[in-house]
């Protein structure tokens, strides 16, 4: 469920906003080789200085198909405004009662965007299926749409308000 759930989340958000107008242009990016050292996001950030300077916010969805025991999120200082709004939305709906903010680390593709000065944030759900992460059992059998639906709705509402 690791790469699949985030990719499906991005597709869902892209499909939803393809039918809506928004004050920002939205760009949906899939970066390859995350598990091999974030090679795709590192290369994208290295080769796209001009594009990066125009990005208002980077939202990274990764592993959002677990049970909704905990929402884990991280982002650099530049992302605090966005992260605060996400947590307000979460609290208003009562989706994840105990979200946990971690330190900004190089665990997923948002990292190189943050290092390039782009406000970047990362979200994942951690629950019952986290024990299968990066194992042969990290598959559709260990995916649930509970967290996926909540995070999708949170991202949708966030983009409309930000």
């Amino acid at each position: 469920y690791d790469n699949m759930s985030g990719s499906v989340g991005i597709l869902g958000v892209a499909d939803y906003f393809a039918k809506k107008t928004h004050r920002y242009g939205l760009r949906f990016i899939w970066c390859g080789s995350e598990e091999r050292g974030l090679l795709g996001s590192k290369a994208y950030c290295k080769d796209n200085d001009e594009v990066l300077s125009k990005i208002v916010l980077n939202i990274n969805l990764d592993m959002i198909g677990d049970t909704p025991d905990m929402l884990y999120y991280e982002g650099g200082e530049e992302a605090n405004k966005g992260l605060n709004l996400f947590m307000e939305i979460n609290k208003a709906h009562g989706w994840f009662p105990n979200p946990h903010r971690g330190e900004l680390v190089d665990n997923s593709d948002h990292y190189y965007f943050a290092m390039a000065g782009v406000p970047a944030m990362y979200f994942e759900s951690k629950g019952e299926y986290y024990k299968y992460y990066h194992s042969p059992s990290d598959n559709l059998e260990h995916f649930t749409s509970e967290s996926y639906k909540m995070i999708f709705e949170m991202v949708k509402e966030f983009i409309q308000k930000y």
Side-chain angles (χ1 to χ4, degrees), residues 2-4 11 20 22 25 55 66 104 107 110 113 126:
D2 176 11
N3 297 326
M4 179 254 328
L11 283 170
K20 307 271 186 238
H22 193 269
I55 296 176
D66 203 341
L104 176 65
N107 59 348
H110 66 293
F113 287 88
K126 287 186 176 181

Side-chain angles (χ1 to χ4, degrees), residues 126-160:
K126 287 186 176 181
E128 180 182 337
Y129 299 139
Y130 194 76
K131 61 188 172 198
Y132 300 115
Y133 171 60
H134 283 178
S135 78
S137 297
D138 186 358
N139 58 33
L140 187 56
E141 182 181 325
H142 298 110
F143 168 83
T144 178
S145 63
E146 279 181 278
S147 289
Y148 170 84
K149 288 176 185 174
M150 289 185 275
I151 293 171
F152 172 78
E153 290 299 324
M154 195 164 35
V155 170
K156 200 170 77 172
E157 186 173 334
F158 172 87
I159 291 173
Q160 291 167 333

Side-chain angles (χ1 to χ4, degrees), residues 67-78:
T67 56
D69 302 355
M70 182 182 67
L71 177 68
Y72 174 83
Y73 66 103
E74 60 185 56
E77 291 297 315
E78 302 84 9

Side-chain angles (χ1 to χ4, degrees), residues 9 35 40 53 62 75 85 94 112 132:
E35 281 83 7
S53 69
D62 194 6
L85 178 57
Y112 281 107
Y132 300 115

Side-chain angles (χ1 to χ4, degrees), residues 39 44 51 61 63 74 89 94 101 123 145:
L39 300 179
Y44 184 89
V51 172
L61 303 178
M63 299 186 345
E74 60 185 56
I89 293 167
R101 182 174 182 170
F123 295 95
S145 63

Side-chain angles (χ1 to χ4, degrees), residues 2-101:
D2 176 11
N3 297 326
M4 179 254 328
S5 61
S7 292
V8 169
I10 294 168
L11 283 170
V13 172
D15 182 59
Y16 177 83
F17 281 103
K19 303 168 190 126
K20 307 271 186 238
T21 57
H22 193 269
R23 65 183 178 157
Y24 297 114
L26 301 175
R27 178 176 288 196
F28 299 90
I29 303 170
W30 285 259
C31 298
S33 301
E34 180 205 43
E35 281 83 7
R36 296 184 67 206
L38 308 176
L39 300 179
S41 57
K42 183 178 184 179
Y44 184 89
C45 290
K46 180 180 171 245
D47 295 340
N48 289 285
D49 284 339
E50 187 177 323
V51 172
L52 292 176
S53 69
K54 297 175 186 171
I55 296 176
V56 174
L57 186 69
N58 170 276
I59 302 171
N60 183 9
L61 303 178
D62 194 6
M63 299 186 345
I64 60 170
D66 203 341
T67 56
D69 302 355
M70 182 182 67
L71 177 68
Y72 174 83
Y73 66 103
E74 60 185 56
E77 291 297 315
E78 302 84 9
N80 281 343
K81 176 184 170 191
L83 288 170
N84 290 339
L85 178 57
F86 262 104
M87 292 307 105
E88 288 172 22
I89 293 167
N90 177 59
K91 187 175 181 179
H93 293 282
W95 286 320
F96 295 94
N98 298 306
H100 175 74
R101 182 174 182 170

